[in-house]
Amino acid sequence: MTEENSTPTPKWMTELKSWGIDVEAFDAKWQQSGEDAKAQFREALANAAAEYEADQAEMAAAVESVREDAKKFVQQMGTAWDEMVASIHEELNPKKQDGDNAES
């Protein structure tokens, strides 16, 4: 240990160096792997966020389509109901024929 370096070298690092392992190169590769992993994570997160936004827009469009279909269905059912009521009313209260109207 030199006086220039105030932080002592850890024992594991000294042992690895004694075995002929280039600790500095290993550390540099480790640091680079960490940076690469962070970059990949950020990219995956950005892709997931973009996909989520696209899915949200697609879902909103699907919901709006279903809403429009539901409105049409309700309108058709309302029309069918009105026609059914009119038909029942006609059956129960038939219109008088022109001859019948003249007599009254």
Side-chain angles (χ1 to χ4, degrees):
M1 189 169 130
T2 62
E3 290 184 30
E4 300 164 359
N5 187 358
S6 62
T7 306
T9 304
K11 183 179 177 185
W12 62 270
M13 192 177 284
T14 304
E15 288 179 4
L16 289 176
K17 285 182 179 182
S18 71
W19 296 343
I21 297 174
D22 186 355
V23 177
E24 285 80 13
F26 176 79
D27 187 49
K29 286 180 184 177
W30 181 262
Q31 291 292 332
Q32 185 59 48
S33 294
E35 292 301 318
D36 291 347
K38 286 179 190 176
Q40 287 175 342
F41 176 75
R42 286 185 188 116
E43 182 180 348
L45 187 60
N47 290 342
E51 188 174 327
Y52 175 78
E53 292 298 324
D55 288 349
Q56 287 291 94
E58 188 176 310
M59 182 63 74
V63 166
E64 186 58 32
S65 175
V66 169
R67 183 176 288 128
E68 288 300 317
D69 289 346
K71 284 180 185 178
K72 288 176 186 174
F73 175 76
V74 169
Q75 288 172 347
Q76 289 172 346
M77 291 304 293
T79 301
W81 178 261
D82 291 344
E83 290 172 357
M84 182 182 73
V85 168
S87 173
I88 291 170
H89 183 64
E90 182 66 30
E91 286 288 324
L92 296 176
N93 299 313
K95 291 181 183 174
K96 295 183 180 182
Q97 296 182 357
D98 289 337
D100 293 341
N101 288 340
E103 293 177 9
S104 51

